[in-house]
Amino acid sequence: MPATPRAIGRRVLQITASLGLAAALLGWGLPYLTHTSWETIIGIVTGIGWPTFFVLLGLMFLGLYAYTFTLTGSLPGLRHSQALLANLAGSAVSNVLPGGGAVGAVLTYGMFRSWRFSHRRIGTSIVVTSVWNILARVLLPVLAALVLIPETEKVPAAMIKGAIVGGAGAGLVAAALLAVIASRRAARWVGHMVNRVIGPMQRARRETQPRQDIAELALDLRDKTLDIARHRWLPLSFGIVGFMGIYFILFRQCLEAVGAHMSWGHAFAAYAVGRLLTAVSVTPGGIGVAEAGAAAVMLALGVPGDVTAAAVTLFALFSFLLEIPFGAVSAIVWMATRERYLRLGPPGQG
């Protein structure tokens, strides 16, 4: 259905508002929250030196390579080099546009299709990797809660309560997803429960398309995920755990580079909050929101404001900003080489 001028205008307004919010959160909110200035932040970040910069860059690419095991696990036959190109190009789009994850998925789909994978296998891959990413992000607050609870004397009470509530909520989400995968009956039950919650909201909206049955969607999700998960769970899990683990080391090295000294447990709590908030789609890639969340945790744990701001900014450089130019290069490499695959004939049916 072609987009109407009203729909285009609404989308432009959404993009403008989202980019404006990101700029406000970073440009004004982060210095305000940490009681510092961008002049101070930039001075600390630029003082890390080139050797440290390249070490951090190496950790970034090591983490991205680790994630290729999840992609190749979800799409047998995909090479690690192809997975890295697709991940970088998709992430670049996601990091530029608000709600860009959907656009990034479309680009990833096009890249996989050009490499002669079938519609069915690509769709299953996207579903499986989405489930694994959601599970990883919602389980992080659970782990953060487990880390913080034994340190009640060192950590502000409000943070302990927030960790418990966030961890419990995330645990419920993870349990629901695992139940959907493990049992067809559980998948139908979870779908019915979600239908009861969102049904009134769907009826209140004026939609031209029929209301979706979440129970049927849950069953479809299970069917698409189960076969791949049963046989490929090890590389799927190795990739996402490796990626998250290496990026945590990257986060902690960013802290050390700017002089923000924290214990491993406290650093993990700040990292977990930031990673969870990257899923917030009000800004591209959650930029600004994730940094504010991680900074709030660090400040509550007694880290000085100037190095807190510098640390989250440095980590954002490697986990967000640098993915954009490297992703653009990846897209160019793909466009320059895809004809070689197209000449091999129609995509495989796999």
Side-chain angles (χ1 to χ4, degrees):
M1 185 176 179
T4 63
R6 182 177 180 180
I8 294 173
R10 188 186 303 117
R11 182 59 177 161
V12 170
L13 182 61
Q14 289 173 345
I15 292 174
T16 303
S18 179
L19 294 175
L21 177 60
L25 286 170
L26 285 177
W28 175 82
L30 184 62
Y32 177 81
L33 178 66
T34 55
H35 303 289
T36 188
S37 66
W38 270 108
E39 182 180 2
T40 300
I41 296 170
I42 292 172
I44 296 174
V45 170
T46 55
I48 65 171
W50 286 110
T52 300
F53 174 86
F54 284 114
V55 169
L56 297 176
L57 187 66
L59 284 171
M60 168 190 157
F61 274 105
L62 184 61
L64 292 172
Y65 181 76
Y67 186 70
T68 64
F69 285 88
T70 296
L71 290 174
T72 56
S74 70
L75 190 58
L78 182 71
R79 295 202 298 266
H80 286 276
S81 58
Q82 293 172 327
L84 184 60
L85 288 178
N87 184 30
L88 277 169
S91 295
V93 173
S94 301
N95 292 352
V96 169
L97 297 173
V103 183
V106 170
L107 176 58
T108 301
Y109 184 95
M111 295 176 75
F112 288 166
R113 190 74 179 129
S114 75
W115 292 325
R116 306 173 69 243
F117 291 101
S118 69
H119 295 291
R120 180 178 62 82
R121 291 177 64 191
I122 296 170
T124 301
S125 170
I126 291 174
V127 168
V128 170
T129 53
S130 297
V131 170
W132 248 249
N133 274 283
I134 292 171
L135 280 172
R137 279 172 169 76
V138 300
L139 285 173
L140 280 176
V142 178
L143 296 176
L146 294 175
V147 167
L148 290 177
I149 288 173
E151 303 191 37
T152 52
E153 295 181 358
K154 302 178 183 178
V155 180
M159 185 173 295
I160 292 291
K161 292 178 181 178
I164 293 173
V165 172
L172 288 174
V173 173
L177 277 171
L178 291 172
V180 166
I181 296 171
S183 166
R184 189 173 182 83
R185 179 180 295 179
R188 188 179 294 278
W189 182 84
V190 169
H192 283 316
M193 292 300 101
V194 176
N195 268 333
R196 288 186 179 182
V197 173
I198 71 171
M201 293 184 287
Q202 286 188 327
R203 286 193 294 270
R205 293 173 59 190
R206 296 179 179 178
E207 296 181 321
T208 58
Q209 297 181 347
R211 183 168 62 92
Q212 288 185 319
D213 187 331
I214 303 301
E216 293 302 319
L217 288 177
L219 289 172
D220 182 62
L221 169 67
R222 178 181 183 274
D223 292 340
K224 286 183 175 179
T225 303
L226 192 58
D227 185 58
I228 287 291
R230 183 186 293 120
H231 298 99
R232 311 282 293 182
W233 65 269
L234 184 57
L236 286 167
S237 302
F238 174 80
I240 195 69
V241 171
F243 169 71
M244 290 291 185
I246 293 169
Y247 263 46
F248 168 54
I249 296 173
L250 172 61
F251 177 73
R252 196 167 190 282
Q253 289 304 115
C254 287
L255 300 182
E256 293 294 324
V258 300
H261 304 297
M262 300 179 72
S263 69
W264 283 88
H266 289 177
F268 182 78
Y271 169 76
V273 170
R275 289 292 88 189
L276 178 65
L277 292 176
T278 58
V280 177
S281 60
V282 293
T283 61
I287 187 69
V289 180
E291 286 68 38
V297 174
M298 293 172 65
L299 292 171
L301 292 171
V303 180
D306 55 349
V307 293
T308 290
V312 297
T313 299
L314 184 60
F315 183 63
L317 173 66
F318 291 98
S319 64
F320 179 88
L321 292 174
L322 285 179
E323 288 185 354
I324 297 173
F326 283 117
V329 171
S330 298
I332 292 171
V333 171
W334 165 63
M335 287 186 289
T337 59
R338 62 177 178 169
E339 293 298 326
R340 181 180 61 185
Y341 292 93
L342 295 177
R343 285 196 299 267
L344 295 176
Q349 296 304 308

